Amino acid sequence: MSLKLFAPPKKDALHTGGKSTQSQGALLNTVEQIKVLLCKGKMTQPHILILGVGRVGRAIALDLASTYDVTALDRSAEALESLTREAPHIRTVQGHLNDSALLNKLLSEADLVITAVPGNMGYRALERVIQAGKKVVDISFFPEDPYTLEELAREKGATVIVDAGVAPGLSNFLLGYELAQKPVESFVCYVGGLPVERSWPFQYKAPFSPADVMEEYTRPVRQRIGGVLLTKAPLSDLELINIPGIGVLEGFNTDGLRTLLRNTTVPTLIEKTLRYPGHAEYIQVLAHTGFFSTAPITISGQAVVPREMTAALLSKAWEMSPEDEDLTVMVVRIQHVSGDLVQYTLIDRADTTRRISSMARTTGYTCTALAKWLLEGATLQPGIHAPEELAGDEACFAYVMHHLATHGIQITRQTLQPLP
């Protein structure tokens, strides 16, 4: 068994690889020239607009503001005030995506846009950005098919990277890298965000929108097994997996494969969400009893939608306080057609000093890596791009791994004994 830890590569290793869009020297020279011109005041600093500064959006804003001019749009005055206290140089704007005049003005000023809104708002937000012809990196993980926006993106000249988080996102990126080396037979991803302190009954805190967590628990699961596309119930195929340093966790089916089902021909594709043992059973009880139903029921003469009520209750039960610490666990097992089996492992913990959750770190910094890569010389044609398509470019892969490592996010790659 071999073990490799991805660490920050040397500067001259960041843009290497036969499939890179520019030569190493040309790309590095371009970046250096831009920096020189910025210092001399001959160029304006690239401007980034961030739509949504919740937990993940905040981490993205703080990271990008160390290098670029950043504007943050959110409807929450509290979220914007918190961001201003930490980074007064970030321009904050309170408003709603439905305010077309405001959004169009902000988009006209932006060189690149990050969409970090809840999933139920994501598709429309991305569509608006594409209509403005902007480069955009999306982490809203909306349920709609992003490729329905492909024609519009090409028409408007918009370069779009979707699903740029941890999973989907980094998990896709790792598969794309392995596919560029040699054919892959199977991909299995186990991933989850967990509270460090376990509390009854759910042993869970939502590191992102609770409504999106509920969507994950209720959406039918698409998998490919042995070349056959299957649809399964969410939370099915429960299994226990031991994570060294963490302990035993349970994994169950969720619908997280998304673009991998379209963009790869890997015969077996599976993703499972990780939680502390017992969590899935409580969720299944709620689902079986009807708490996730969208059909209104009448209580004391009032129409009530069970799912909306449940979301309100779970939002309180699952709410993360600034003092809550979380961790992110991801194990990706990839078996090549040759029989070689590799395993990637990521275990990350919250940044308690800056009050950035682990899920915000792993999701947000994957997003900012790809955003910086887009701004610093990457050549991508207008259209929709997913992480698995980008990782075949060794320069892009090295850039993202370097960026994550500089933030203390370590990913190990092991060669394991082939499965029987």
Side-chain angles (χ1 to χ4, degrees), residues 27-211:
L27 187 51
L28 285 175
N29 287 339
T30 299
V31 174
E32 293 305 319
Q33 289 167 5
I34 289 173
K35 290 178 179 177
V36 169
L37 289 170
L38 286 171
C39 291
K40 292 181 177 180
K42 294 183 179 180
M43 287 182 63
T44 56
Q45 181 82 317
H47 189 85
I48 297 177
L49 172 63
I50 300 174
L51 304 180
V53 286
R55 289 188 182 90
V56 180
R58 168 178 165 269
I60 290 170
L62 293 173
D63 189 31
L64 292 175
S66 65
T67 309
Y68 307 103
D69 290 333
V70 171
T71 295
L73 173 67
D74 201 289
R75 62 185 177 184
S76 168
E78 182 181 356
L80 294 172
E81 289 168 3
S82 175
L83 185 61
T84 299
R85 286 194 296 270
E86 294 178 88
H89 58 292
I90 295 177
R91 175 191 176 198
T92 59
V93 179
Q94 185 179 6
H96 200 282
L97 294 176
N98 290 337
D99 186 339
S100 297
L102 174 62
L103 183 58
N104 289 339
K105 180 180 184 300
L106 295 176
L107 287 172
S108 70
E109 302 167 353
D111 297 295
L112 182 142
V113 181
I114 306 289
T115 48
V117 298
N120 61 354
M121 302 166 59
Y123 184 88
R124 177 58 180 153
L126 183 60
E127 185 178 34
R128 292 289 301 279
V129 176
I130 292 173
Q131 286 172 337
K134 298 298 180 177
K135 293 180 179 179
V136 55
V137 181
D138 176 76
I139 59 158
S140 60
F141 311 122
F142 48 81
E144 296 89 349
D145 180 3
Y147 287 96
T148 58
L149 297 172
E150 173 81 17
E151 184 176 345
L152 179 64
R154 291 181 177 179
E155 174 191 336
K156 299 296 184 179
T159 302
V160 184
I161 300 177
V162 297
D163 289 355
V166 60
L170 185 55
S171 56
N172 305 47
F173 204 66
L174 298 175
L175 175 58
Y177 176 76
E178 292 294 330
L179 277 168
Q181 312 310 309
K182 50 188 176 181
V184 169
E185 179 67 29
S186 68
F187 164 91
V188 181
C189 175
Y190 300 90
V191 62
L194 302 162
V196 171
E197 183 177 340
R198 301 165 63 169
S199 58
W200 186 88
F202 294 103
Q203 305 180 85
Y204 180 68
K205 297 288 184 180
F208 50 91
S209 167

Side-chain angles (χ1 to χ4, degrees), residues 99 157 232 347:
D99 186 339
K232 295 186 178 182
I347 299 176

